[in-house]
Amino acid sequence: MADEIKMKIEEEQEGTQVYSVPFPKDLSQLKDMAPIVIKFPWQVDYIHSYGQDSPWFAGVSNKKLLATKCMDEKCGYVCATPRLACPVCGKEMDWIELPQQAKVHTFTVCHFGSETFLPECPFVLALIEWEEADTLFLTRLLGVDPLKPTLDWIGMKVQAKFLRLSKFKPTDVYFVPAE
Amino acid sequence: MRPVYAVAGGVSKFAKARPDATYQALVKESFDYAVNDLGIEYKKFIEMCDGSVSSYFSDHFARQLMGGIMATDYLGLCPKPSLRVESGGATGGMCIQEGWKSIASGQMDICPCYGFETMSHVNTWKGNEFIALASDVSWDFPVGGFYSGYYAMMVVRHMKEFGTTVEQLAHISVKNHYNAYHNPYSQKQLKLTIEDVRNAPMVAYPLTRLDICVMSDGAATIMLASEDGVAKLEKESGKRIPKVKLTGIGSGTDMMRMSDRPHGDVILLPNESPEDYKDLKYPGVHSFRAGRTASKMAYEMAGITDPLGQIDFVELHDAYTSSEMQTYEDMGLCKYGEGGDFAASGKAFMPNIDYGLKLKDKSVCPVNPSGGLIACGHPVGASGIMQGVFALWQLQGTIPKHFNDKTLFLPDAKVGAIHSHAGTGTYVTVTIMEKEA
Ligand SMILES: [Zn+2]
């Protein structure tokens, strides 16, 4: 016998094609009619450019983790998630390389999510910090048990790992606990 | 700038799905309610309007661009001026503030502000995806775009920084769901325990399904007027309108990517000093700089120097129990770091409801007496306006009439605050509303 007896069929969006519906003789009955609900498929291939951020993706494809640094000597702000305009002083920023070891700043375990990522649940999202950078980087954290999360993960030393076959997405790099 | 008054409001029934009505008809439902409440014939009222503001968050959920004008034309407000406001989750709050500007500037005397969202047209997972598109699609979305996950990371850092606990957060869920029990407009009416909240399915550690608001279909309308506008409406209806003035508006922003948020100094309210925050790096990802900025601006305008002492109730954007807790701090109801204690203290609970909890303090400033977004539902473009309507009814003394239940009525309330908040704190609005003697 099953542990739990199913009492409900989960709703999904498959349906039957219908080309006609009944119609009353008396028009005054129309306002009591149930709403007609139709399915409208919507799919698009969007041609997305990373523009000025593109070198970062070339970097992870070559196992290098890039960041940007403000060219102004007095400022020198470093963005671990690159921007080419300094968020502090507005000057242009330059590309620099970041160390591949860093620390967990915060994290979560996603047990649900957007449609795209549902098959990967549960997965760990983390923001990573570097002593060498003023801002953080959003990434996936692997090598920890997603069913046993603990605040002790914060501050943990982590190591960057790179996909061998690049997808040219920020997930071409991910982090695991450092040895 | 001229004084601005809120004179009437309406809220459509918020529900998981409203296939019986298009968004235009939902807006009309809330708009009709407000016009009826004013006691003016519909056609006459439309003639009296100088223009309007519409708001909705997502062109994706609507599968329609320029849905704003389609709501406006359905109401019969063409060819008068109008615009659509969009600022993520703060859309509704921003809509009210745009209406405020139209009146305060002298451009309009009577301006309806309405908002809507229909989120039921895609499944929950696709809905999560649409919402997550309101994060950087180059850097955030592809990593695992999920708003509950983003907020969860923020509160995890808050827990580490300040020792905030999940049980403290659960108090907020219990409070808001209990309150909603007496609000017929609410989508979820539940009597919960702390254990119920913690034992609900985990969505994004440490937030469970009962820490998070649901998606909804719904609309809301609030009518704003100048002194002259109020006089015209009173003349037409032959009724006195209880005067509720919008005495302060404030808004603030923060960077979209949480990773980009600075780690600097706290923006101080008048009742705080730099010594309070010697070792705190601010806002980081644990606090909402936009919420603090919005509060500070609205408080300065309304002359509020002691928020907890001067504000009688708050309707704030509790898409998550965690964001309600963080907003206590941003709004200065307690200091940064004390949000968890404040949540469990009882200070934000209603005075006359038995929540089945042991609370150490008496009610001081009820937060989300209506049940908030967690229990009322969150049709994004309508939510901030719904808060405005519920706050207006509190200050007009008409909650018992509109709710057909007086439990949530705060008869002594003179000053209310409404707070609307977009994705991880990118746009936040705070508006102060006051009963005029
Ligand atoms: Zn700089």
Side-chain angles (χ1 to χ4, degrees), chain A residues 70 72 75-77 86 88-91:
Chain A
C70 181
D72 185 287
C75 180
Y77 201 74
C86 176
V88 176
C89 73
K91 295 233 168 64

Side-chain angles (χ1 to χ4, degrees), chain A residues 114-138:
Chain A
S114 300
E115 196 167 65
T116 320
F117 305 108
L118 274 185
E120 300 163 40
C121 294
F123 59 85
V124 181
L125 279 182
L127 284 163
I128 303 293
E129 64 181 35
W130 282 262
E131 265 170 37
E132 295 82 354
D134 295 290
T135 69
L136 309 170
F137 180 74
L138 178 66

Side-chain angles (χ1 to χ4, degrees), chain A residues 19-125:
Chain A
Y19 293 104
S20 66
V21 291
F23 197 79
K25 278 201 178 110
D26 178 1
L27 296 190
S28 71
Q29 289 178 10
L30 283 173
K31 284 185 181 169
D32 296 326
M33 197 171 97
I36 293 173
V37 180
I38 62 160
K39 181 170 165 177
F40 183 93
W42 185 9
Q43 197 268 334
V44 61
D45 287 322
Y46 191 84
I47 309 302
H48 183 82
S49 171
Y50 288 123
Q52 74 281 5
D53 295 339
S54 298
W56 186 91
F57 295 87
V60 283
S61 181
N62 291 280
K63 295 190 171 24
K64 284 188 194 308
L65 206 46
L66 299 182
T68 56
K69 181 170 179 155
C70 181
M71 293 165 78
D72 185 287
E73 270 178 29
K74 275 177 282 172
C75 180
Y77 201 74
V78 174
C79 290
T81 310
R83 324 172 51 106
L84 266 288
C86 176
V88 176
C89 73
K91 295 233 168 64
E92 199 175 322
M93 300 181 89
D94 267 352
W95 291 102
I96 58 164
E97 199 177 335
L98 274 182
Q100 301 199 352
Q101 285 212 348
K103 277 188 198 165
V104 174
H105 183 78
T106 189
F107 70 92
T108 185
V109 183
C110 296
H111 294 264
F112 294 94
S114 300
E115 196 167 65
T116 320
F117 305 108
L118 274 185
E120 300 163 40
C121 294
F123 59 85
V124 181
L125 279 182

Side-chain angles (χ1 to χ4, degrees), chain B residues 11-16 185-187 216-219 376-379 382 386:
Chain B
V11 179
S12 79
K13 175 68 189 163
F14 288 1
K16 186 175 193 305
Y185 288 94
S186 64
Q187 192 170 332
S216 320
D217 288 357
C376 290
H378 183 19
M386 168 195 79

Side-chain angles (χ1 to χ4, degrees), chain B residues 79-102:
Chain B
K80 298 168 197 280
S82 192
L83 79 152
R84 174 234 177 150
V85 171
E86 185 279 309
S87 53
T91 293
M94 205 71 87
C95 179
I96 294 176
Q97 296 197 347
E98 285 309 303
W100 185 95
K101 290 174 194 170
S102 297

Side-chain angles (χ1 to χ4, degrees), chain B residues 281-319:
Chain B
K281 299 266 186 282
Y282 180 87
V285 298
H286 49 72
S287 297
F288 302 122
R289 187 169 52 149
R292 175 48 70 95
T293 304
S295 305
K296 191 174 157 76
M297 189 175 161
Y299 292 170
E300 274 168 17
M301 198 169 155
I304 290 171
T305 50
D306 169 21
L308 191 62
Q310 287 174 269
I311 299 171
D312 299 312
F313 70 93
V314 181
E315 288 285 347
L316 68 77
H317 192 99
D318 59 329

